[in-house]
Amino acid sequence: MANSQGKAYVFGSPADITLYPSTSTTVSIFTGIISSTANDGFDISHECDTEEVKNTNGEVVGSIVSNNRLSLTVNCIPSGSTAANALLTAFLADGNGTATIGGAKTITCGGIDDAVNTSTSGRWIYTGGGSVKFTNSGKAMVTLPLKKYPTATLMPGVSIVL
């Protein structure tokens, strides 16, 4: 395990992930591991649409912000009780599936406390664009782009646990 002198640093965030299609909240199509020894982790970002308001001289005098959202890209290893079962989980959901995440480190993003874990901040939506990477020299890796709209009401669908 890594250690440091002087300041303390944050390393990765272990979690488990389960993905469900848009048609089910109980039958999973993907399980994976995000751990300190078996992942590339995840990236979270805050996004919003911004429109500048200009006066008659063309100078910006205001800003309008809408569509607050969080984006999360999860990189994880498909897992199962056997290698064959793990291969079955290297599967991507249809668009608009939802996800629940639990066990990740608690962070605040875009003004949302505990933004990654869904028990306190709501479900994630799988928006398509995921990928599965196979190599001859290492583990398979699944990349899942997810979005969360903090002002939207809870949507039905898929579950991811990180």
Side-chain angles (χ1 to χ4, degrees):
M1 173 167 212
N3 62 50
S4 64
Q5 293 291 328
K7 297 187 181 222
Y9 300 95
V10 175
F11 293 90
S13 179
D16 294 319
I17 184 169
T18 305
L19 180 64
Y20 300 85
S22 62
T23 57
S24 176
T25 58
T26 58
V27 179
S28 67
I29 58 170
F30 174 90
T31 58
I33 295 173
I34 298 176
S35 73
S36 57
T37 60
N39 78 49
D40 284 340
F42 60 82
D43 299 317
I44 187 168
S45 62
H46 172 254
E47 302 167 351
C48 57
D49 299 332
T50 305
E51 181 180 344
E52 295 178 335
V53 179
K54 296 181 180 183
N55 64 15
T56 56
N57 294 325
E59 297 297 321
V60 175
V61 295
S63 176
I64 299 172
V65 176
S66 63
N67 197 21
N68 251 334
R69 62 194 175 276
L70 303 178
S71 291
L72 181 73
T73 301
V74 176
N75 300 299
C76 56
I77 301 168
S79 63
S81 58
T82 65
N85 287 342
L87 181 60
L88 292 174
T89 67
F91 186 91
L92 300 173
D94 53 342
N96 243 7
T98 64
T100 60
I101 297 173
K105 290 182 179 172
T106 300
I107 61 167
T108 299
C109 184
I112 307 300
D113 294 333
D114 199 8
V116 176
N117 295 301
T118 55
S119 62
T120 56
S121 62
R123 290 181 180 255
W124 289 94
I125 302 168
Y126 173 68
T127 56
S131 66
V132 181
K133 178 181 179 182
F134 294 96
T135 68
N136 290 331
S137 61
K139 62 203 172 295
M141 187 66 67
V142 174
T143 300
L144 296 169
L146 304 169
K147 292 210 181 281
K148 182 184 291 190
Y149 300 88
T151 56
T153 56
L154 185 66
M155 299 173 194
V158 181
S159 172
I160 294 183
V161 177
L162 293 183

